[in-house]
């Protein structure tokens, strides 16, 4: 919590630290996978932030043998994250 508090921006996956940063009023960039159960519509941090989701259809679960977009998260590069301005 101290590391998050001392930062200006937190870039993370859709996890607890993103919510801690938002609660502390920090800007966030949150990266979500396309699973329906991980929807940022329901689970995004509240506050100043940007949500990044792969440009693929929403899916029920990640299963390599059943998904033609199995490597969809590989498309979220550090350059893509840097393009987003979390200060809204």
């Amino acid at each position: 919590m101290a590391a998050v508090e001392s930062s200006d921006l937190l870039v993370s996956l859709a996890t607890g630290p993103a919510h801690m940063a938002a609660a502390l009023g920090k800007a966030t960039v949150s990266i979500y996978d396309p699973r329906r159960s991980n929807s940022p519509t329901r689970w995004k941090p509240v506050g100043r932030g940007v949500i990044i989701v792969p440009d693929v259809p929403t899916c029920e679960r990640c299963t390599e043998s059943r998904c033609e977009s199995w490597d969809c998260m590989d498309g979220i590069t550090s350059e893509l994250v840097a393009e987003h301005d979390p200060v809204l």
Side-chain angles (χ1 to χ4, degrees):
M1 188 70 128
V4 172
E5 210 289 315
S6 66
S7 68
D8 294 321
L9 166 69
L10 180 81
V11 177
S12 72
L13 297 176
T15 60
H19 295 282
M20 290 189 304
L24 291 168
K26 306 296 180 176
T28 61
V29 175
S30 301
I31 302 169
Y32 282 75
D33 64 59
R35 290 175 298 157
R36 187 177 318 280
S37 62
N38 198 33
S39 171
T41 302
R42 183 172 186 181
W43 300 111
K44 70 180 179 182
V46 177
R48 299 180 306 139
V50 172
I51 303 296
I52 300 175
V53 180
D55 189 20
V56 298
T58 300
C59 59
E60 294 303 322
R61 60 181 169 194
C62 291
T63 307
E64 183 175 9
S65 63
R66 295 184 185 164
C67 181
E68 56 190 61
S69 303
W70 172 247
D71 58 354
C72 65
M73 296 298 282
D74 291 345
I76 299 177
T77 63
S78 56
E79 291 82 14
L80 177 67
V81 172
E83 290 174 11
H84 290 78
D85 183 0
V87 182
L88 303 175

